[in-house]
Amino acid sequence: MDDKSIRVLTWITVGVVGLSLVSIIVGALRTEPAPGEVAFKAAERAFADHNYARALENYRKALWENPESVEAMRGKARSLLQKQRPAEAAEWFDRAITEEPEFAGSYMNRGIAHDRLGDYKAALMDYEQALSMDDSVADGPGWTTRLLHMNEAPPTVADRAAYLREQLQLPPEERLLSLPEEDTAQRSYRRRVD
């Protein structure tokens, strides 16, 4: 083979390899989203924007498209909690716990739902379960969330659990289990998705 033939074959090889790589990259970028993924991402954005009605609508759509999505179950439950519907929220947290019992955040959030329903013993049990599984749930929202959305750090699940434990040891007539201002400031736990 002469030099010209070798150069032509080299360029053809480089071209075929280059086109193959481009084809692979384009194919990877054009993959179809998983069922419910688009609705779930829209729900997460709406939740972050405090538009809980839209978030709830999109979590429902995500669950309709993918009924097995534990993340969508938790998102729907958190949205219901924010819309002051704690009984429904607790039911959805129950479903999420059944599907993924090792996620401490679901117990913590179900505890908030029980707390808002006035079932303080169940709330304390959930808070303690969450803390025993993952003590980082006691940290509460990160500093960026507090900076963007709050003036000061809200009470944490550890604070609330300690308070409930103390109050439940008192005689019933001396208990003060609900502190409406502080109770409404308590934020639900959301897994940080990178």
Side-chain angles (χ1 to χ4, degrees):
M1 247 195 231
D2 63 359
D3 284 343
K4 186 175 181 184
S5 298
I6 292 174
R7 273 190 249 134
V8 169
L9 285 174
T10 302
W11 281 107
I12 290 172
T13 304
V14 168
V16 169
V17 170
L19 286 174
S20 297
L21 287 173
V22 168
S23 175
I24 290 169
I25 291 169
V26 168
L29 294 175
R30 295 180 70 200
T31 58
E32 290 293 315
E37 184 178 351
V38 172
F40 177 77
K41 287 181 178 178
E44 291 285 284
R45 284 190 303 273
F47 191 90
D49 290 341
H50 304 283
N51 188 337
Y52 304 118
R54 185 181 307 140
L56 186 56
E57 179 183 320
N58 282 305
Y59 286 126
R60 284 181 180 140
K61 184 177 180 186
L63 284 165
W64 183 79
E65 293 175 13
N66 181 4
E68 306 299 315
S69 173
V70 180
E71 289 291 331
M73 288 178 198
R74 285 196 287 261
K76 180 176 181 177
R78 285 192 330 270
S79 296
L80 289 164
L81 198 56
Q82 292 301 117
K83 290 183 65 56
Q84 306 305 318
R85 294 162 59 183
E88 292 173 80
E91 290 174 17
W92 280 98
F93 286 125
D94 287 344
R95 291 181 189 190
I97 288 168
T98 298
E99 294 298 317
E100 194 178 302
E102 66 280 357
F103 181 61
S106 293
Y107 293 94
M108 190 195 96
N109 288 332
R110 186 176 67 179
I112 294 171
H114 286 308
D115 214 339
R116 291 184 183 171
L117 289 167
D119 190 351
Y120 302 111
K121 289 180 182 176
L124 180 58
M125 285 176 42
D126 278 339
Y127 293 153
E128 288 176 338
Q129 177 68 30
L131 289 165
S132 72
M133 293 171 71
D134 180 1
D135 59 1
S136 74
V137 298
D139 296 341
W143 70 270
T144 54
T145 301
R146 289 194 309 265
L147 177 68
L148 294 172
H149 302 291
M150 301 173 225
N151 293 333
E152 58 187 58
T156 68
V157 66
D159 297 335
R160 184 64 179 158
Y163 181 81
L164 285 177
R165 198 175 307 109
E166 176 186 301
Q167 290 297 310
L168 288 170
Q169 291 175 359
L170 297 173
E173 65 276 0
E174 294 179 25
R175 295 177 184 162
L176 178 61
L177 295 166
S178 179
L179 301 169
E181 254 184 64
E182 287 186 31
D183 295 346
T184 56
Q186 192 172 15
R187 305 267 304 182
S188 61
Y189 181 86
R190 182 169 165 229
R191 179 178 287 180
R192 287 155 179 68
V193 181
D194 295 326

